[in-house]
Amino acid sequence: MRRKNERLSLDGHSARPPAIAVTSDRAERALSQRGLQFTPLRRQILDMLIEAGRPLGAYDLLARQRERAGKPFAPTQIYRVLDVLQAAGLIHRLATQGTYVVCDHEHAAGETPVFLVCGACGSVAEAASTAVEQEVEAVAAASGFKPIHPVVEVEGRCAACRAGP
Ligand SMILES: [Zn+2]
Ligand SMILES: [Zn+2]
């Protein structure tokens, strides 16, 4: 079953288009490859992250959901869904911020996402690198460590802030 990507408008006035190519099709495909379904709750949480267009924490998601009609989520439900979406490669977790962001790449195997986090404006850009993945694997292997969700976060200044006043 194919559905068009549904983007829910939460507050009716944020029409900012998400710069992020996660679609319902991609989500359904990624989940079904793992024998999982795109349940209404998974869809709702993914939609909220797509709509936000920026990283959100679990409690941001709870607050946004509370603004909507419907049964409130339990925090444990949210974390379970976030784990599933993360395992399916649809979102990434930014450990330093405790937030989750939709993945705007469909990563090839062996690619580590690299997040460029601007400490001035808070923008987060995602890049990906196979060279980083190999280095991370090598460094981890030297300690007998197996990376599961390798993510690199680099704090700095984005191009706009560097060019600013
Ligand atoms: Zn990604
Ligand atoms: Zn910036």
Side-chain angles (χ1 to χ4, degrees):
M1 185 177 61
R2 290 168 71 84
R3 284 202 211 182
K4 268 189 79 226
N5 187 25
E6 295 160 316
R7 264 180 208 131
L8 305 172
S9 176
L10 290 178
D11 47 17
H13 57 75
S14 93
R16 189 165 57 131
I20 294 181
V22 171
T23 60
S24 288
D25 279 352
R26 176 178 158 197
E28 246 174 64
R29 204 168 55 239
L31 289 165
S32 76
Q33 277 166 4
R34 288 162 183 81
L36 298 166
Q37 297 202 327
F38 198 19
T39 61
L41 190 59
R42 290 171 185 164
R43 182 183 293 276
Q44 199 180 344
I45 289 178
L46 186 64
D47 279 343
M48 284 196 281
L49 285 168
I50 292 171
E51 222 248 354
R54 64 180 179 85
L56 294 179
Y59 284 86
D60 298 328
L61 289 166
L62 269 179
R64 282 170 182 245
Q65 202 266 346
R66 234 180 269 122
E67 291 169 10
R68 300 177 171 197
K71 214 169 117 234
F73 306 144
T76 49
Q77 272 182 308
I78 295 219
Y79 283 114
R80 261 201 307 274
V81 168
L82 290 168
D83 281 349
V84 167
L85 296 176
Q86 187 184 8
L90 295 165
I91 64 173
H92 298 297
R93 179 167 183 270
L94 295 171
T96 59
Q97 314 189 9
T99 56
Y100 298 82
V101 64
V102 273
C103 170
D104 61 3
H105 295 67
E106 282 200 89
H107 298 284
E111 237 183 34
T112 287
V114 177
F115 287 97
L116 308 173
V117 181
C118 178
C121 71
S123 71
V124 176
E126 181 181 348
S129 166
T130 51
V132 167
E133 173 106 352
Q134 286 160 12
E135 286 302 315
V136 169
E137 290 275 352
V139 167
S143 302
F145 186 89
K146 173 74 190 148
I148 296 174
H149 296 302
V151 168
V152 172
E153 297 175 48
V154 182
E155 208 216 304
R157 291 290 178 271
C158 74
C161 288
R162 292 178 62 212

Coordinates of all heavy atoms in Angstrom, one line a residue, residues 26 89-92 101-107 111-115 126-128 151, ligand 1:
R26 N 9.4 6.1 1.8 CA 10.7 5.7 2.3 C 10.6 5.0 3.7 O 11.2 4.0 4.0 CB 11.6 6.9 2.4 CG 13.0 6.5 3.0 CD 13.9 7.7 3.0 NE 15.0 7.5 4.0 CZ 15.7 8.4 4.5 NH1 15.6 9.6 4.1 NH2 16.6 8.1 5.4
G89 N 16.9 3.6 10.3 CA 17.7 4.6 9.6 C 16.9 5.9 9.2 O 17.4 6.6 8.3
L90 N 15.7 6.1 9.7 CA 14.9 7.2 9.3 C 15.2 8.4 10.1 O 15.0 9.6 9.7 CB 13.4 6.8 9.5 CG 13.0 5.7 8.6 CD1 11.6 5.1 9.0 CD2 12.9 6.2 7.1
I91 N 15.7 8.3 11.3 CA 16.1 9.4 12.2 C 17.5 9.1 12.8 O 17.9 7.9 12.8 CB 15.1 9.7 13.3 CG1 15.0 8.5 14.3 CG2 13.7 10.0 12.7 CD1 14.1 8.8 15.5
H92 N 18.1 10.1 13.3 CA 19.3 10.0 14.0 C 19.2 10.6 15.4 O 18.4 11.5 15.6 CB 20.5 10.7 13.3 CG 20.8 10.1 12.0 ND1 21.2 8.8 11.8 CD2 20.8 10.7 10.8 CE1 21.4 8.6 10.5 NE2 21.1 9.7 9.9
V101 N 16.5 13.7 14.9 CA 16.3 14.5 13.7 C 16.1 13.5 12.6 O 16.7 12.4 12.6 CB 17.6 15.4 13.5 CG1 18.8 14.7 13.2 CG2 17.3 16.4 12.4
V102 N 15.3 13.9 11.7 CA 15.1 13.0 10.5 C 16.3 13.0 9.7 O 17.0 14.0 9.6 CB 13.9 13.4 9.6 CG1 12.6 12.8 10.1 CG2 13.7 14.9 9.5
C103 N 16.5 11.9 9.1 CA 17.7 11.7 8.2 C 17.4 12.1 6.8 O 16.5 11.7 6.2 CB 18.1 10.2 8.2 SG 19.4 9.8 7.0
D104 N 18.2 13.0 6.3 CA 18.0 13.5 5.0 C 18.9 12.8 3.9 O 19.1 13.3 2.9 CB 18.0 15.0 4.8 CG 19.4 15.6 5.2 OD1 20.3 14.8 5.5 OD2 19.5 16.8 5.2
H105 N 19.4 11.7 4.3 CA 20.1 10.8 3.4 C 19.5 9.4 3.5 O 18.9 9.0 4.5 CB 21.6 10.6 3.8 CG 22.4 11.9 3.7 ND1 22.1 12.9 4.6 CD2 23.4 12.3 3.0 CE1 23.0 13.9 4.3 NE2 23.8 13.5 3.4
E106 N 19.6 8.7 2.4 CA 19.4 7.2 2.5 C 20.8 6.7 2.5 O 21.4 6.5 1.5 CB 18.5 6.6 1.4 CG 17.1 6.9 1.6 CD 16.2 6.0 0.8 OE1 15.8 4.9 1.4 OE2 15.8 6.4 -0.3
H107 N 21.3 6.4 3.7 CA 22.7 6.0 3.8 C 23.0 4.7 3.2 O 22.3 3.7 3.4 CB 23.2 6.0 5.3 CG 23.0 7.3 5.9 ND1 23.9 8.3 5.7 CD2 22.1 7.8 6.8 CE1 23.6 9.4 6.4 NE2 22.4 9.1 7.1
E111 N 28.3 4.1 5.9 CA 28.4 5.5 5.9 C 28.0 6.0 7.3 O 26.9 5.7 7.8 CB 27.3 6.1 4.9 CG 27.9 6.9 3.8 CD 26.7 7.5 2.9 OE1 25.6 7.7 3.4 OE2 27.0 7.6 1.7
T112 N 28.8 6.9 7.8 CA 28.5 7.4 9.1 C 28.0 8.9 8.9 O 28.6 9.7 8.2 CB 29.8 7.5 10.0 OG1 30.0 6.1 10.4 CG2 29.6 8.3 11.2
P113 N 26.8 9.2 9.5 CA 26.3 10.5 9.5 C 27.2 11.5 10.3 O 27.7 11.1 11.4 CB 24.9 10.5 10.1 CG 24.8 9.1 10.6 CD 25.9 8.3 10.3
V114 N 27.5 12.6 9.7 CA 28.3 13.6 10.4 C 27.4 14.9 10.5 O 27.0 15.4 9.5 CB 29.6 14.0 9.6 CG1 30.4 15.1 10.2 CG2 30.4 12.7 9.4
F115 N 27.2 15.3 11.8 CA 26.3 16.4 12.0 C 27.2 17.7 12.3 O 28.0 17.6 13.2 CB 25.3 16.2 13.1 CG 24.3 15.2 12.7 CD1 24.3 13.9 13.0 CD2 23.2 15.7 12.0 CE1 23.4 13.0 12.6 CE2 22.2 14.8 11.5 CZ 22.3 13.5 11.8
E126 N 23.3 17.8 8.1 CA 23.8 16.4 8.0 C 24.6 16.2 6.8 O 24.2 16.5 5.7 CB 22.6 15.5 8.1 CG 23.1 14.0 8.1 CD 22.0 13.0 8.1 OE1 20.8 13.4 8.3 OE2 22.3 11.8 7.9
A127 N 25.8 15.6 7.0 CA 26.6 15.1 5.9 C 26.8 13.6 6.2 O 26.4 13.1 7.2 CB 27.9 15.9 5.8
A128 N 27.5 12.9 5.3 CA 27.8 11.5 5.6 C 29.1 11.2 5.0 O 29.6 11.8 4.0 CB 26.7 10.7 4.9
V151 N 27.6 8.0 15.1 CA 27.1 9.4 14.6 C 28.2 10.3 15.1 O 28.7 10.2 16.2 CB 25.8 9.8 15.3 CG1 25.5 11.3 15.1 CG2 24.7 9.0 14.8
Ligands
ZN1 ZN 21.3 10.3 7.9

